[in-house]
Amino acid sequence: MTKLVLGALIGGLASTGRAETVTFDADPVGAPPPGWTSGSTGGGNPRWTVEADPTAPGRSNVLRQSGSAPFPWCVKQGALLVDGIVEVKFKPLSGREDQAGGVVWRWKDGDNYYVARANALENNVSLYYTAGGRRRTLKYVDAPVAGNAWHTLRAEFKGTRIRVLLDGKPYIEVDDSHIAGTGAVGVWTKADSVTAFDDFTYQPGP
């Protein structure tokens, strides 16, 4: 599903101001995570499942994308933010075309959202906005992204200001106004990336 009505994602956590973290440890292995909606911008065959992983930064499970699609995404239902932060631990496992892990915010539907991503094949961090199903680059920055290793990717956003950090180090800080207002948050990959995600954290801003 690439088109959703944003109102269907509204939940009680959107305006609490508390940081919420999803570990996937209580979710059934081999199935999509309950309370999440997934798809891909541009079609294809994404596959989002909860899997056991002894290397998980949390306890035992991760969310893994193992399908192939232009831009797979998976967003948390009931998590709507205008301003705030979204952060995830990710591990790029394999991929010939890409080995990417990303976070999305102000997600309106599968064709309109912001995304920050890190890529282990290219060793860089980048920021995009997707509008009308087309991804547009805002900035690329070289950064070390080791494959088969856990990293922390974080986006902070308030008004038009966006800041992107990898492993605690800021790499991108820009102003952009293409995607405004309330939207969902989630995770993202690209092409044939097989990527694991854990400890997904989001927090509404003031």
Side-chain angles (χ1 to χ4, degrees), residues 21-65:
T21 298
V22 181
T23 66
F24 308 105
D25 291 329
D27 297 335
V29 171
W36 292 68
T37 300
S38 62
S40 171
T41 305
N45 296 291
R47 185 173 186 267
W48 294 93
T49 54
V50 175
E51 303 293 343
D53 186 339
T55 75
R59 296 174 60 186
S60 56
N61 290 350
V62 298
L63 173 62
R64 187 171 68 189
Q65 201 294 124

Side-chain angles (χ1 to χ4, degrees), residues 90 97-101 117-125 143 145:
F90 75 97
E97 183 178 345
D98 266 281
Q99 293 184 18
R117 75 102 173 98
N119 192 315
L121 287 186
E122 300 176 0
N123 278 303
N124 61 23
V125 174
V145 187

